[in-house]
Amino acid sequence: MITPEAFLDAAVGKTLTFYEIRSGGLVGTEQFLNRRVSVWREEGQGCVYGQITTPNGQLCFLYDNDPDGIPVCWWPFLHEGRLMVRLASFVDGEIQEVRSMTERGLNCPGAPLS
């Protein structure tokens, strides 16, 4: 396990691409604008902005389009030198791997400044 703060130290100002570890399929790409705001884009879909929080050692995202208003939370960790996140839920232990980290933005319109 690594702290959410350590994850954000590596991610802020970068765009990360996430893949589901079991299927190997692309989940989506997230640009970390700062320590409080990110923008997420799933393959073939538009941009969604998220508010980042770090409660109880978790990295949580509350996205603008989230119907229930409950953030999605992850536990970040390193495995054999690879950056990964595990869904912070005991029902679904989905694990995603960060396969690329670049300086390129997602070119999403209307990025919030906060």
Side-chain angles (χ1 to χ4, degrees):
M1 299 284 284
I2 62 171
T3 66
E5 291 76 17
F7 181 95
L8 290 170
D9 286 346
V12 167
K14 305 229 176 11
T15 300
L16 284 59
T17 305
F18 293 87
Y19 289 81
E20 206 281 322
I21 197 73
R22 286 177 231 151
S23 71
L26 174 64
V27 178
T29 307
E30 191 143 21
Q31 181 180 1
F32 289 80
L33 302 173
N34 56 50
R35 296 180 87 79
R36 296 174 317 282
V37 179
S38 70
V39 59
W40 169 256
R41 181 162 46 204
E42 287 183 60
E43 198 64 22
Q45 304 205 12
C47 300
V48 180
Y49 291 89
Q51 300 298 315
I52 302 169
T53 56
T54 57
N56 306 315
Q58 299 175 15
L59 185 62
C60 299
F61 301 87
L62 180 59
Y63 294 103
D64 292 346
N65 69 346
D66 197 349
D68 60 11
I70 298 172
V72 176
C73 296
W74 300 90
W75 285 304
F77 68 100
L78 291 172
H79 177 69
E80 297 176 353
R82 300 181 323 201
L83 185 57
M84 301 198 182
V85 292
R86 181 185 187 281
L87 191 61
S89 161
F90 295 107
V91 177
D92 177 14
E94 179 180 333
I95 296 175
Q96 296 177 12
E97 177 183 4
V98 175
R99 290 211 188 141
S100 90
M101 189 180 294
T102 70
E103 307 257 335
R104 287 185 310 239
L106 291 178
N107 297 321
C108 292
L113 299 175
S114 60

